[in-house]
Amino acid sequence: MTLDEDKIYNIDHESEKPFPEQLAELVNGKFDGKMLTVDNKIAKATYEFFTELDNIKLVIHKSEMRSKVNVRHNPILQSNDFVYLMMLKEGEITHIYESENNIEVFGPKRQRGIMITNLKYPLINQSEATGYCEWFTILVRKTTLIDLIEGAKKEEVKKIISSNDPWLFFEPFNLEVVTALEKIFSVEEKVARKLKIYGQSLIILAETMNLLGSRKSEDTSRLSVHDTARMFEVKEYITQDLSVTPNLEEICNEFGLSRSKLIRDFKAEFGRPVYKFYNHVRMEEARVMLVDKGLSVTEVSQELGFKGLSKFSDAFKNFYGMSPKTMVELSTKME
């Protein structure tokens, strides 16, 4: 992706001046120590910062864009001891991991999910002139995260997140993460609001660490930035039409990969084999179509290429542990 350097606001995370103060100056916003607010020709936006816990920091982003904006976050290269998790809840803002091969992690028509990185390369948030966006960021100190992890997979996860080489992983949303994210953006209670938001953030962290545990550190360490970029291209290829089941031979031919490298690198990057990842994204899209878009079970089944309602219902129940009808009913009760 080509970026217009004249239209990029650069944030220097090695500066002594905190990120929200830098951004407030760049976009003519106001920062009161907890909330950054902007209401001008650039955007109507709020960035709410939760810094009560030194080792776990949170940012809730809400923005209605009025002009095209690119914000580049230049990382701390020498002493970056945090893990960054970013989740796009709503909208079409594009998150670009600016490496040797720019990787569009989120963006128009891309799957929602969790971006997990040590941010050794810059991250660009690119938004168009119109549209409302919500996203959520968790920064957690590596040592704290390692102390919180336990069980058989602890050493694998520790090796993965402790690596000083640049790394970037992606996990599609599961129901637990989606539910926690919805609660974070809807908490209104004044007395315990921060506690509830931190509580839901810990649920997201726990789910993410469980998902990272499905990877092998020896395989993730082999991934170059080029390999990561290519696996993201494979991800887009297999999810551009969720009514078409991916074929490994076609993918290998399309991207010039051996079967063994495709299988190893894809699972190292996304934590699942190709078909299981595709099925996860397909089922998450089915949930979105049913719950958020209000489509009927028949419409969703046809749109996603299932051969009959029973096939779709069985696949949905096998994935979520409940029927499509029950999922819709539960979602309605939660509103």
Side-chain angles (χ1 to χ4, degrees), residues 10-12 15-36 47 49:
N10 280 287
I11 302 294
D12 182 6
S15 169
E16 293 182 0
K17 184 175 291 186
F19 145 62
E21 291 183 18
Q22 293 184 58
L23 186 58
E25 289 181 2
L26 289 170
V27 299
N28 297 317
K30 296 179 181 179
F31 179 60
D32 64 5
K34 293 293 182 183
M35 181 88 75
L36 167 64
Y47 285 19
F49 295 83

Side-chain angles (χ1 to χ4, degrees), residues 237-247 250 275 278-279 282 302-306:
Y237 181 81
I238 67 173
T239 58
Q240 60 185 343
D241 184 350
L242 292 172
S243 68
V244 179
T245 304
N247 179 288
E250 290 180 3
Y275 180 74
Y278 159 82
N279 186 59
R282 194 185 194 195
Q302 292 174 346
E303 186 74 19
L304 295 179
F306 284 91

Side-chain angles (χ1 to χ4, degrees), residues 174-320:
N174 62 23
L175 187 57
E176 290 81 1
V177 171
V178 167
T179 302
L181 200 56
E182 290 288 346
K183 289 180 178 179
I184 285 168
F185 277 84
S186 62
V187 173
E188 295 181 354
E189 183 180 333
K190 299 300 182 184
V191 175
R193 181 170 178 266
K194 291 178 182 177
L195 287 171
K196 289 189 174 183
I197 289 172
Y198 267 109
Q200 296 303 322
S201 300
L202 289 174
I203 290 174
I204 292 173
L205 277 175
E207 287 296 316
T208 305
M209 292 307 104
N210 277 333
L211 295 168
L212 274 182
S214 64
R215 293 163 172 80
K216 292 182 179 179
S217 59
E218 61 183 90
D219 288 340
T220 61
S221 65
R222 292 194 189 108
L223 284 174
S224 66
V225 176
H226 175 72
D227 291 331
T228 296
R230 186 154 56 170
M231 288 304 103
F232 270 83
E233 290 174 359
V234 172
K235 175 180 79 74
E236 295 306 316
Y237 181 81
I238 67 173
T239 58
Q240 60 185 343
D241 184 350
L242 292 172
S243 68
V244 179
T245 304
N247 179 288
L248 291 186
E249 298 305 321
E250 290 180 3
I251 297 170
C252 289
N253 291 334
E254 179 71 21
F255 292 94
L257 293 164
S258 68
R259 186 183 181 92
S260 60
K261 183 168 178 60
L262 170 63
I263 292 171
R264 187 189 69 207
D265 286 3
F266 193 92
K267 191 171 189 299
E269 179 57 48
F270 299 111
R272 301 169 182 80
V274 171
Y275 180 74
K276 284 190 175 180
F277 182 91
Y278 159 82
N279 186 59
H280 186 119
V281 173
R282 194 185 194 195
M283 288 297 98
E284 169 59 13
E285 181 62 20
R287 186 196 64 79
V288 169
M289 293 168 77
L290 288 166
V291 174
D292 298 342
K293 298 180 180 179
L295 273 64
S296 70
V297 175
T298 299
E299 289 171 326
V300 175
S301 174
Q302 292 174 346
E303 186 74 19
L304 295 179
F306 284 91
K307 297 178 180 179
L309 286 178
S310 61
K311 291 283 187 182
F312 169 61
S313 295
D314 289 346
F316 193 94
K317 188 172 184 179
N318 184 57
F319 188 82
Y320 285 109

Side-chain angles (χ1 to χ4, degrees), residues 41-229:
K41 65 180 182 180
I42 297 173
K44 182 177 182 180
T46 60
Y47 285 19
E48 188 174 6
F49 295 83
F50 297 81
T51 56
E52 285 73 20
L53 302 180
D54 289 340
N55 295 334
I56 303 177
K57 304 177 187 296
L58 316 173
V59 189
I60 295 177
H61 313 254
K62 298 178 181 179
S63 63
E64 181 181 336
M65 303 311 302
R66 294 167 176 167
S67 65
K68 185 172 182 177
V69 176
N70 298 299
V71 178
R72 176 190 282 125
H73 295 269
N74 294 304
I76 301 173
L77 298 177
Q78 299 302 320
S79 59
N80 188 353
D81 59 351
F82 279 86
V83 174
Y84 297 74
L85 285 75
M86 280 152 267
M87 291 142 274
L88 180 61
K89 176 180 174 289
E90 181 181 340
E92 300 297 350
I93 191 169
T94 301
H95 284 58
I96 303 167
Y97 188 70
E98 193 181 29
S99 62
E100 301 148 19
N101 306 88
N102 288 354
I103 302 170
E104 291 189 26
V105 182
F106 302 125
K109 298 182 180 179
R110 283 178 169 77
Q111 298 77 38
R112 302 289 187 255
I114 309 171
M115 173 184 181
I116 316 148
T117 179
N118 60 355
L119 209 64
K120 288 290 186 177
Y121 283 103
L123 177 70
I124 293 178
N125 297 335
Q126 182 184 76
S127 54
E128 297 301 322
T130 59
Y132 179 75
C133 299
E134 295 179 344
W135 71 99
F136 182 58
T137 303
I138 301 175
L139 290 76
V140 55
R141 200 176 296 276
K142 292 178 183 177
T143 51
T144 300
L145 196 51
I146 290 168
D147 287 343
L148 291 171
I149 299 170
E150 56 190 354
K153 293 290 186 179
K154 177 170 182 172
E155 286 305 311
E156 286 292 293
V157 177
K158 179 180 177 181
K159 289 178 184 177
I160 291 170
I161 66 176
S162 297
S163 173
N164 287 321
D165 294 328
W167 51 263
L168 166 70
F169 302 110
F170 178 88
E171 285 289 347
F173 284 150
N174 62 23
L175 187 57
E176 290 81 1
V177 171
V178 167
T179 302
L181 200 56
E182 290 288 346
K183 289 180 178 179
I184 285 168
F185 277 84
S186 62
V187 173
E188 295 181 354
E189 183 180 333
K190 299 300 182 184
V191 175
R193 181 170 178 266
K194 291 178 182 177
L195 287 171
K196 289 189 174 183
I197 289 172
Y198 267 109
Q200 296 303 322
S201 300
L202 289 174
I203 290 174
I204 292 173
L205 277 175
E207 287 296 316
T208 305
M209 292 307 104
N210 277 333
L211 295 168
L212 274 182
S214 64
R215 293 163 172 80
K216 292 182 179 179
S217 59
E218 61 183 90
D219 288 340
T220 61
S221 65
R222 292 194 189 108
L223 284 174
S224 66
V225 176
H226 175 72
D227 291 331
T228 296

